[in-house]
């Protein structure tokens, strides 16, 4: 049942349905950790009983403790495998989140790169000192320059497939 649940979560991550993965994954990991500790204690107990230091059990009965030890060992191994699988699902989930954040940062970088030159142009033009040659007819020039810079940035980002 744990493997099926983890497999469904892995499919959800691959299809980018990651809304509740973290909330669904943590209880499974906790339960698997508890199971692993139970199986470890069961192995220790059955090994102790199999040693039969006090002679409480007949030799015919000791083979059953060996069988229990083997089964507990297999269950513990399976639980460790499931924990590893859960970690892989968590890493896939984290990879999806990192990818989404990278895309957001790339978008914000593109927007910033487009608007920083425009800010520089408008701040330089906005100084408005008296002998500035474009003071009388400069607004259309600044607007055209700003549009050219913006279009150039957009073309560059389109060619680099960043936009």
């Amino acid at each position: 049942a744990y493997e099926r649940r983890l497999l469904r979560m892995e499919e959800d991550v691959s299809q980018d349905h990651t809304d509740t993965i973290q909330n669904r994954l943590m209880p499974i990991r906790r339960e698997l950790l508890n199971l692993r500790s139970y199986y470890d204690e069961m192995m220790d107990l059955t090994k102790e009983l199999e040693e039969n230091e006090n002679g409480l059990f007949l030799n015919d009965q000791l083979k059953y403790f060996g069988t229990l030890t083997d089964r507990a060992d297999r269950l513990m191994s399976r639980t460790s495998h499931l924990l590893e699988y859960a970690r892989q699902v968590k890493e896939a989930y984290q990879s999806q989140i990192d990818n989404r954040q990278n895309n957001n940062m790339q978008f914000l970088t593109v927007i910033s790169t487009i608007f920083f030159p425009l800010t520089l142009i408008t701040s330089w033009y906005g100084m408005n000192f008296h002998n500035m040659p474009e003071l009388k007819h400069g607004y259309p020039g600044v607007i055209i320059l700003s549009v050219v810079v913006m279009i150039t940035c957009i073309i560059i980002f389109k060619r680099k497939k960043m936009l």
Side-chain angles (χ1 to χ4, degrees):
Y2 289 113
E3 189 169 11
R4 277 180 290 189
R5 287 166 59 189
L6 288 170
L7 186 60
R8 276 194 300 266
M9 279 189 247
E10 185 179 37
E11 289 172 0
D12 287 346
V13 167
S14 68
Q15 295 173 358
D16 205 20
H17 301 139
T18 58
D19 300 338
T20 62
I21 295 292
Q22 191 73 18
N23 295 336
R24 290 170 32 207
L25 186 62
M26 293 312 290
I28 291 175
R29 288 192 71 235
R30 210 172 302 122
E31 290 173 22
L32 288 172
L33 287 170
N34 284 336
L35 283 174
R36 187 175 66 179
S37 68
Y38 293 151
Y39 295 142
D40 188 36
E41 289 177 27
M42 188 184 299
M43 279 179 43
D44 290 343
L45 176 67
T46 55
K47 283 181 184 178
E48 273 301 312
L49 293 173
E50 188 178 15
E51 288 176 8
N52 196 21
E53 290 179 4
N54 297 331
L56 295 173
F57 304 104
L58 299 174
N59 286 336
D60 293 341
Q61 296 170 335
L62 292 179
K63 65 180 179 179
Y64 297 116
F65 294 122
T67 303
L68 286 174
T69 303
D70 290 342
R71 286 185 183 171
D73 185 37
R74 277 186 277 144
L75 288 170
M76 189 168 138
S77 164
R78 184 71 176 146
T79 304
S80 295
H81 169 72
L82 288 172
L83 277 167
E84 179 64 31
Y85 190 35
R87 185 168 60 234
Q88 290 173 0
V89 170
K90 183 179 179 186
E91 288 173 0
Y93 167 71
Q94 190 62 43
S95 174
Q96 284 282 8
I97 289 175
D98 292 344
N99 190 25
R100 209 175 299 152
Q101 286 177 339
N102 285 341
N103 289 339
N104 289 342
M105 290 304 293
Q106 183 177 5
F107 177 74
L108 291 174
T109 301
V110 167
I111 296 299
S112 298
T113 304
I114 290 172
F115 283 103
F116 282 155
L118 298 177
T119 304
L120 178 67
I121 291 168
T122 56
S123 65
W124 178 71
Y125 187 74
M127 288 185 220
N128 292 328
F129 52 90
H130 184 65
N131 293 327
M132 187 170 179
E134 300 91 19
L135 193 58
K136 293 181 183 174
H137 305 291
Y139 283 114
V142 169
I143 291 172
I144 291 171
L145 178 63
S146 296
V147 169
V148 167
V149 166
M150 207 162 56
I151 290 172
T152 305
C153 287
I154 290 172
I155 290 172
I156 290 170
F157 287 124
K158 289 260 189 200
R159 283 189 183 161
K160 291 187 177 188
K161 298 184 189 299
M162 295 178 75
L163 191 68

